[in-house]
Amino acid sequence: MTTLDEFMTALTGDSVADAVAEGRCLAAPVGCGAPVFNADGSLRHSDPDDDPEQYVAEWRLTGLCADCQDAHEADEEKAVERHTWACNAYMAHLDLMADLMTGEGE
C-alpha cells in the first residue's frame, strides 16, 4: 500500500514531509510552494473567519496550504455539481425514452 506522502513524491517530486519540515505548501502542480506561515508565525490565509487550527492540521496531513486547500475544495464542489447535472440529464433522458416506449410521450 502506498502512503499519501509516497504518492505525492511520485507525482510531484516533492513530499508532504519535506513541505511540512520546510513550512511551505507542496510544489506545483498539486500545491503552490508558498510559505504556510507569515513572518510573525500566523497562518498565511486571507479569510479571518476560518479556523487556522483546522488548516494547519490539514496541512500537516496533505502538505497543502490554506489557499490550496480552499482551491481544491472548490474544484471538488464543481466536480460534484457537474456529476449531479450529468446524472439528472441522464435520468431525464431515461424518463423520456420510457415515455416514448410506452406511448406516453406522444
Side-chain angles (χ1 to χ4, degrees), residues 40-69:
D40 66 1
S42 64
L43 181 68
R44 185 185 59 80
H45 185 54
S46 56
D47 192 342
D49 294 331
D50 289 337
D51 179 13
E53 303 279 329
Q54 178 69 31
Y55 281 108
V56 171
E58 189 73 20
W59 165 68
R60 291 186 188 287
L61 293 173
T62 65
L64 295 175
C65 70
D67 292 331
C68 287
Q69 289 175 38

Side-chain angles (χ1 to χ4, degrees), residues 12-85:
T12 67
D14 194 8
S15 75
V16 174
D18 287 346
V20 170
E22 296 168 13
R24 63 174 172 78
C25 186
L26 279 171
V30 176
C32 66
V36 172
F37 300 101
N38 295 315
D40 66 1
S42 64
L43 181 68
R44 185 185 59 80
H45 185 54
S46 56
D47 192 342
D49 294 331
D50 289 337
D51 179 13
E53 303 279 329
Q54 178 69 31
Y55 281 108
V56 171
E58 189 73 20
W59 165 68
R60 291 186 188 287
L61 293 173
T62 65
L64 295 175
C65 70
D67 292 331
C68 287
Q69 289 175 38
D70 287 348
H72 284 284
E73 185 176 307
D75 289 344
E76 289 173 7
E77 288 173 6
K78 287 178 189 173
V80 168
E81 289 171 10
R82 286 191 300 272
H83 174 76
T84 300
W85 179 88

